[in-house]
Amino acid sequence: MSKGSKVVNLKDKMNGNEMDLSLCNLSEVPVKELAAFRKATVLDLSCNNITSIPPEFCKLTHLVKVDLSKNQLTGLPDELGNLCNLQHLDLYNNKLSALPVSFSQLGNIKWLDLKDNPLGPELAKAAGDCLDEKQCKQCAAQVLQHMKDVQEEVDKAREKRFLKEREQEKKKEAKQREREAREREVRKREKAEEKERRRKEYQAQMDAAAAQENQRKKKEEKRKRNGQAADKKAAVEPAPKPQRSSPIGLLLKLLLLLLLGLAGAVAACQLTALREEAACVPVGAALEAGLSWARRQEAVLRQLVQDWSAVAQELLESTQGASKN
């Protein structure tokens, strides 16, 4: 009990199964002390200054009758439904506006007085006037049913809220799965694109290498073909035959040598101091005679050269035809 509460000897207040704590100027319920008196099934706390009931009070499940009339209660604990053996509850002249939903669990309640409390409209309608024993019993039954209806509505609201939260959770999970699926699809597509890019790069490298190899092979084949063609041409072409000098050629060569000799002698006799020598006199005379003869024989010599040229041409053609055959 708090310091402001009056110290009460509970043993002195015990009479059989009744604990009378009325008119004790209590501001709170001595729950711990009461828990030691399990035989006290009837508890009278009327005419005190109690403003609230602690949740621990609801552990006193042995209570059958509780009188809390003429106090200052503004509310009851949510655990009130744990008082499973409670049959009689007097809440006359307090400041209660509502009852906890757990009141619906008081299945053994037979008597209830709620008059002179600022109750809500629906609860006040269910409670009635509570002017006599019969009306208090009716109040217990009607308030119990009313609180069961409230409990049902609360359960429905809770179930609806739970279903809504569950639906929202499912939608959230579905969106999460969709997002994860999209992310997996994006990663899969990126991997496929990366793989395709590497494959194309590899294929391009292989194509380039193949093109270089083909080019190298073509060059090598071309060199081989050129070499084989050169070898074949060398094998096919006959070795050049030594040209045999024709009689006309030999005659011309001798004539040329003779002329060169004569020209040298004439030059020596005509251009040097030897012209006065006795040896050069015949040369000069011969030169004069030769020139005179040459002038006379020019036409004959020209005809002779033409004849020799025709003969030489015929001989050369006959020789080439024989070599071809």
Side-chain angles (χ1 to χ4, degrees):
M1 298 176 65
S2 66
K3 294 181 180 180
S5 297
K6 183 178 179 180
V7 178
V8 179
N9 188 350
L10 297 186
K11 289 183 180 181
D12 297 338
K13 302 295 182 178
M14 187 70 180
N15 182 15
N17 66 337
E18 295 184 9
M19 177 70 73
D20 188 2
L21 297 178
S22 62
L23 301 171
C24 291
N25 197 25
L26 298 175
S27 60
E28 61 182 27
V29 180
V31 178
K32 293 182 180 180
E33 291 81 357
L34 289 173
F37 294 88
R38 302 291 297 176
K39 292 182 180 181
T41 58
V42 178
L43 177 61
D44 188 356
L45 291 168
S46 62
C47 301
N48 283 291
N49 295 315
I50 301 172
T51 58
S52 63
I53 303 297
E56 292 78 13
F57 180 81
C58 300
K59 295 180 180 180
L60 304 177
T61 57
H62 58 280
L63 295 176
V64 176
K65 181 178 179 180
V66 176
D67 188 353
L68 288 167
S69 62
K70 297 181 181 180
N71 277 281
Q72 304 296 319
L73 295 174
T74 57
L76 296 176
D78 293 335
E79 296 82 2
L80 184 66
N82 293 336
L83 297 174
C84 55
N85 293 311
L86 188 63
Q87 299 179 14
H88 185 110
L89 179 60
D90 193 346
L91 295 171
Y92 163 71
N93 194 13
N94 277 278
K95 297 180 179 180
L96 298 172
S97 60
L99 295 176
V101 179
S102 64
F103 188 94
S104 62
Q105 300 175 15
L106 298 177
N108 292 318
I109 193 74
K110 305 297 181 183
W111 194 97
L112 178 63
D113 189 354
L114 285 172
K115 65 179 175 290
D116 291 341
N117 279 281
L119 301 175
E122 294 183 359
L123 182 57
K125 182 179 179 180
D129 295 331
C130 296
L131 298 177
D132 54 24
E133 185 76 12
K134 182 179 179 181
Q135 288 182 355
C136 288
K137 289 181 178 181
Q138 290 177 352
C139 175
Q142 292 174 3
V143 169
L144 179 62
Q145 183 60 45
H146 171 72
M147 296 309 299
K148 286 182 178 180
D149 294 341
V150 172
Q151 180 68 57
E152 185 177 356
E153 292 177 1
V154 170
D155 291 342
K156 287 181 179 179
R158 185 184 297 112
E159 181 68 18
K160 186 177 180 180
R161 185 170 59 254
F162 172 78
L163 292 176
K164 184 177 180 180
E165 291 175 355
R166 182 58 182 167
E167 185 67 21
Q168 292 177 349
E169 186 67 22
K170 287 182 178 180
K171 290 181 179 179
K172 185 177 179 180
E173 293 176 355
K175 289 181 179 179
Q176 180 67 20
R177 288 193 297 270
E178 290 178 0
R179 182 167 59 254
E180 292 176 353
R182 288 194 299 268
E183 291 176 355
R184 287 194 299 270
E185 186 65 24
V186 170
R187 289 194 298 270
K188 183 178 179 181
R189 185 169 59 253
E190 289 177 351
K191 288 182 179 179
E193 291 175 355
E194 178 64 19
K195 184 177 181 180
E196 181 65 16
R197 185 184 64 79
R198 292 198 303 268
R199 187 192 68 79
K200 289 182 177 179
E201 289 179 355
Y202 174 77
Q203 187 63 38
Q205 293 176 356
M206 295 300 294
D207 293 342
Q212 292 178 355
E213 182 65 18
N214 290 334
Q215 188 175 3
R216 187 188 63 80
K217 289 182 178 180
K218 288 180 179 179
K219 289 181 179 180
E220 186 176 353
E221 291 176 357
K222 185 176 181 180
R223 286 196 300 268
K224 289 182 179 180
R225 286 196 301 269
N226 293 337
Q228 291 176 357
D231 295 340
K232 185 176 181 182
K233 184 176 181 181
V236 170
E237 290 182 354
K241 294 181 180 180
Q243 295 182 356
R244 292 180 293 182
S245 300
S246 62
I248 297 174
L250 292 176
L251 181 60
L252 292 174
K253 287 179 180 180
L254 291 175
L255 181 59
L256 180 59
L257 290 175
L258 179 59
L259 292 175
L260 288 175
L262 290 175
V266 171
C269 291
Q270 297 293 324
L271 299 177
T272 63
L274 295 175
R275 80 172 96 181
E276 300 298 335
E277 296 293 329
C280 289
V281 174
V283 174
L287 177 60
E288 291 295 336
L291 291 174
S292 299
W293 179 82
R295 291 188 189 97
R296 292 192 301 270
Q297 299 298 324
E298 181 179 359
V300 177
L301 183 60
R302 184 180 294 113
Q303 184 63 39
L304 180 61
V305 171
Q306 289 178 358
D307 293 341
W308 283 1
S309 296
V311 173
Q313 183 68 29
E314 292 177 1
L315 181 61
L316 181 60
E317 291 178 358
S318 62
T319 303
Q320 290 178 354
S323 64
K324 290 181 180 180
N325 295 329

